[in-house]
Amino acid sequence: MSKKSSKLDLLVRVRYSNPLPPPPRPPKLLNIPTNPMRYARPEFLNALANETPLPMIVDAECGMPLDLGKFDCLWEEGGDDSELNPDPQNLPPLDPKDAFLLGDSTPSGSYTNGSISATPLANVPWLRKTEYISRESSQKSSGHETKHVQAAAIDISRGAQLRDIDTSFVECNDNFSLETIQHPNKPGVTAVESYEILPDADIWSNQYDLFRFSERPGERALDAEDPRLDCAILRPMKTEHDSFLAYYLTQDDESALKFKETRFGLSPYEVPEEQEETIFQFVRDYETVKVEQDVPNEFLLVLNDGDPPETINDIGVERRTPQRLKGAYYKNIERKMTLKKKRANIYEQYDDKWEIIRVTHLEMSKEEEDEREEALAEVVDPMFLMVRGDADADGDIEVDDGTVAGGLDFATI
């Protein structure tokens, strides 16, 4: 039977005893002369007083009782209120006991361990890292420079605000030139066309999420075209211990192309009279890796050169959608998610799993139409901010039909 050796076997532990003899003489008390009055100086308790919080016990009169009975002008009609409201041009003399209240209470210096030091702290470079020293030097230099900058007075009157708004329109329209626009990072890139940035009223009532896949969804290769990807379905799923998304695609490319052709050939929210159901098959499950609830810097942007002008042949022909002007139409993104493939678990079971989804179109209900109109009013109704602000302040809204000058319909509160 072999015995495993250890490195500790090579160490010899030797303990040496070092008994100390008892002291030959009893302890001696030394008399150190000191002045006991130094403990009675007020400065000795400054540190203790600075660390002790003071209780703020404030009564109903905030510690300053006011006897209104001493002022006869408050109770007599037409009384002399010069005691309460003195003349600014003829102020009463200031009591010397209250003169210190008009002084500057801000101490000149820095706080160090509860006390005020008039001199700055010494700079000890060998005790501190170089990055801290460079950071402090830059802050000191920037603070020194800002002392000489004098803030210009800004006119915030109503007339000045209207003037600045009108000036901004002039700068963006009358004095606008593409030759003067320069790219901030690429000097050789020049502007070719300009668009007005406008909210997209056609899709403003819809909510859009941005999904990013760690791998290309579907079973096809990366270089193979797949027209099914832009009409897929993501269905939220939930089990006892997990939440994920089920991914569905059409059976073949023809079904996806026909489905998109039917959607693009109709006006928004229009349901065809004779429609065929589109079958979507389950592909796999995806789990969320990262979810961003607030996406302030990413938008859906559509550059539209404008619809062609109407001709004589268009007279009497009903347009499916209103004519759009030239502009860059945007819509904000509600959420942004990153998805990855979910590992299949044969022991995980859930009752509401669908292998196929049959998609058809239905008319919107009254509640859905009201919700859509409420979301669309943010960019269509000029009185939206006023109505919403008053509604948030009051809580209850009573909507009545009314008309202002010029024929503008609005909702009053």
Side-chain angles (χ1 to χ4, degrees):
M1 183 176 180
S2 61
K3 182 178 180 181
K4 186 176 181 180
S5 61
S6 176
K7 295 181 179 180
L8 298 178
D9 298 340
L10 302 178
L11 300 179
V12 178
R13 298 180 179 179
V14 180
R15 297 181 179 180
Y16 298 95
S17 59
N18 187 15
L20 296 177
R25 298 177 182 84
K28 183 180 180 180
L29 299 179
L30 300 179
N31 184 16
I32 300 176
T34 181
N35 185 12
M37 293 301 297
R38 69 187 184 94
Y39 298 104
R41 290 184 301 174
E43 295 82 359
F44 185 76
L45 300 177
N46 285 348
L48 183 61
N50 293 332
E51 297 177 357
T52 304
L54 298 179
M56 299 296 294
I57 303 176
V58 181
D59 54 2
E61 296 177 344
C62 298
M64 299 178 64
L66 182 62
D67 188 4
L68 299 179
K70 297 181 179 180
F71 302 98
D72 298 336
C73 61
L74 297 177
W75 314 104
E76 298 178 0
E77 185 176 356
D80 184 13
D81 60 346
S82 59
E83 296 181 1
L84 295 178
N85 302 316
D87 186 7
Q89 304 299 332
N90 187 17
L91 295 177
L94 181 63
D95 195 319
K97 297 180 180 179
D98 300 334
F100 74 97
L101 297 176
L102 300 180
D104 188 7
S105 60
T106 304
S108 59
S110 59
Y111 286 91
T112 305
N113 295 331
S115 61
I116 302 174
S117 61
T119 59
L121 298 177
N123 186 13
V124 187
W126 55 274
L127 289 177
R128 307 159 77 181
K129 293 185 178 181
T130 56
E131 55 266 24
Y132 297 153
I133 299 175
S134 61
R135 185 185 308 170
E136 288 187 358
S137 61
S138 62
Q139 291 178 355
K140 291 180 181 178
S141 61
S142 62
H144 181 70
E145 293 175 358
T146 53
K147 291 181 180 179
H148 301 284
V149 178
Q150 185 175 4
I154 301 176
D155 189 3
I156 58 174
S157 61
R158 178 178 177 82
Q161 294 182 22
L162 294 176
R163 183 194 63 231
D164 295 341
I165 294 173
D166 293 338
T167 305
S168 65
F169 281 99
V170 173
E171 294 293 335
C172 296
N173 296 280
D174 298 346
N175 300 333
F176 177 74
S177 177
L178 292 177
E179 288 76 9
T180 59
I181 300 179
Q182 297 180 357
H183 196 279
N185 301 327
K186 302 177 181 178
V189 178
T190 58
V192 179
E193 193 71 24
S194 65
Y195 295 86
E196 294 184 0
I197 300 179
L198 303 171
D200 197 342
D202 293 344
I203 61 174
W204 192 265
S205 58
N206 303 334
Q207 294 184 358
Y208 293 91
D209 296 340
L210 179 61
F211 295 91
R212 292 179 177 175
F213 295 84
S214 58
E215 301 177 5
R216 180 180 178 178
E219 69 282 356
R220 300 184 185 180
L222 296 177
D223 55 351
E225 183 180 0
D226 195 348
R228 307 172 301 167
L229 299 181
D230 57 351
C231 61
I233 295 178
L234 286 169
R235 179 170 179 256
M237 301 294 296
K238 186 176 182 180
T239 60
E240 185 178 358
H241 306 287
D242 194 9
S243 298
F244 53 93
L245 297 173
Y247 189 75
Y248 296 83
L249 291 175
T250 56
Q251 294 177 332
D252 46 28
D253 296 350
E254 290 75 12
S255 301
L257 295 174
K258 187 176 181 180
F259 178 75
K260 291 186 288 187
E261 182 181 358
T262 303
R263 290 181 54 193
F264 296 150
L266 300 174
S267 301
Y269 310 103
E270 181 182 357
V271 178
E273 298 179 357
E274 297 180 359
Q275 57 174 328
E276 298 180 0
E277 62 182 16
T278 305
I279 300 178
F280 289 79
Q281 293 182 342
F282 172 76
V283 178
R284 68 170 304 117
D285 295 329
Y286 285 89
E287 58 183 354
T288 57
V289 179
K290 182 180 179 181
V291 180
E292 298 182 22
Q293 297 289 349
D294 188 12
V295 188
N297 299 325
E298 296 189 24
F299 302 88
L300 300 176
L301 190 64
V302 178
L303 299 179
N304 194 331
D305 292 331
D307 295 336
E310 296 183 355
T311 60
I312 300 178
N313 298 329
D314 297 334
I315 299 178
V317 179
E318 182 181 359
R319 298 178 60 93
R320 291 185 176 271
T321 57
Q323 187 176 7
R324 304 189 74 176
L325 302 177
K326 177 183 176 181
Y329 295 89
Y330 73 93
K331 175 67 174 73
N332 63 306
I333 296 176
E334 301 293 337
R335 293 179 302 175
K336 186 167 60 174
M337 302 183 186
T338 303
L339 306 180
K340 72 173 184 179
K341 294 181 179 179
K342 184 178 182 298
R343 181 177 298 179
N345 186 3
I346 59 176
Y347 300 103
E348 187 178 30
Q349 298 180 356
Y350 43 95
D351 300 334
D352 57 345
K353 181 178 180 180
W354 297 348
E355 293 295 335
I356 63 173
I357 297 178
R358 304 177 184 272
V359 177
T360 57
H361 297 82
L362 296 176
E363 295 285 349
M364 296 179 63
S365 62
K366 184 63 170 60
E367 291 77 9
E368 294 173 344
E369 290 182 357
D370 295 342
E371 184 178 357
R372 172 181 175 272
E373 294 299 331
E374 183 180 357
L376 192 60
E378 185 177 358
V379 295
V380 175
D381 188 4
M383 307 294 293
F384 174 78
L385 294 178
M386 184 180 299
V387 174
R388 178 57 60 88
D390 295 341
D392 294 341
D394 298 340
D396 299 331
I397 304 177
E398 295 181 1
V399 179
D400 298 330
D401 294 335
T403 305
V404 299
L408 177 64
D409 296 335
F410 67 105
T412 59
I413 298 177

